[in-house]
Each structure stands twice: as C-alpha cells, then as structure tokens.
Amino acid sequence: MPNLDELISSYLRAVVVEGKSPNTIISYANSLADFRAVGRTLGLPDRLEEYRVDHVYEYLGELQRRGKSPIFRQRRQREVKACFGWFRRVGLVESNVFSRVPLVKVPEKLKHPFTPEEVHALLGGQDR
C-alpha cells in the first residue's frame, strides 16, 4: 500500500473531482499538511494501516500543547477525520480510526438577548 503522503495526495485530488469549493480544498490541504508535520515530529506512522486511536490522541494532544484553540483543534480533527473516512469509503481500511475519537469540545458562545432599550431602539428606527 502507498505511504500516507501519497494517499493524502489522492484524497486531495478526489475532493477536487467531487466538487468541493476551492476554500474547502485549501483548508483540507492545510489541515492534512499540518497533520503530517506534527505526525513526523511525534514519530507517528507513515502507513495508513498502522494508525491507532492512541495516535489520534497524540496528534490532538500535541495541538493542545502548542496552545491551539479548541475550535482550531476541532477543525483539524474534522478535516483529517474526513480524509480517513474517504480511505475507508474507497476500501483502503476497514474503519476510520478518527471516528472512534470524540470531537474536541468547543465552548458554546452565548448570544445574549436584546435589552429592552435595544428593542425600543430597533422598533423606533422602523418606517411606519
């Protein structure tokens, strides 16, 4: 089986053919390049079939140690997970190892309701 870098290149060609937007393709390419760079630093496998759940946690843990925000880590996780999902879909592996790891939690942003003064200002600005 080809090494992981070759498989990622195939995946990126496939998402172009499948019609993903240019911005999505750029984001996927950046996430996957970062995934491989971090993986090389950590000594993670170069072969798809060698990836295990603990490798996913090592990768995500390294992003956390580097001070990356939860939303950044979750985006990286989702985009690499999509790639591994494609590997499964085309029959390169039996299961997607990333699907066995819950997504990084992102804190909820609470949107506060309008104050009574803001409501009156909004209503007062309407044409009758």
Side-chain angles (χ1 to χ4, degrees), residues 81-95:
K81 178 181 176 180
C83 179
F84 275 70
W86 182 83
F87 295 154
R88 182 184 162 279
R89 184 165 48 98
V90 298
L92 297 171
V93 287
E94 291 291 319
S95 68

Side-chain angles (χ1 to χ4, degrees), residues 8 10 14 31 37 63 75:
I8 287 171
S10 295
S31 289
L63 294 181
R75 191 184 89 233

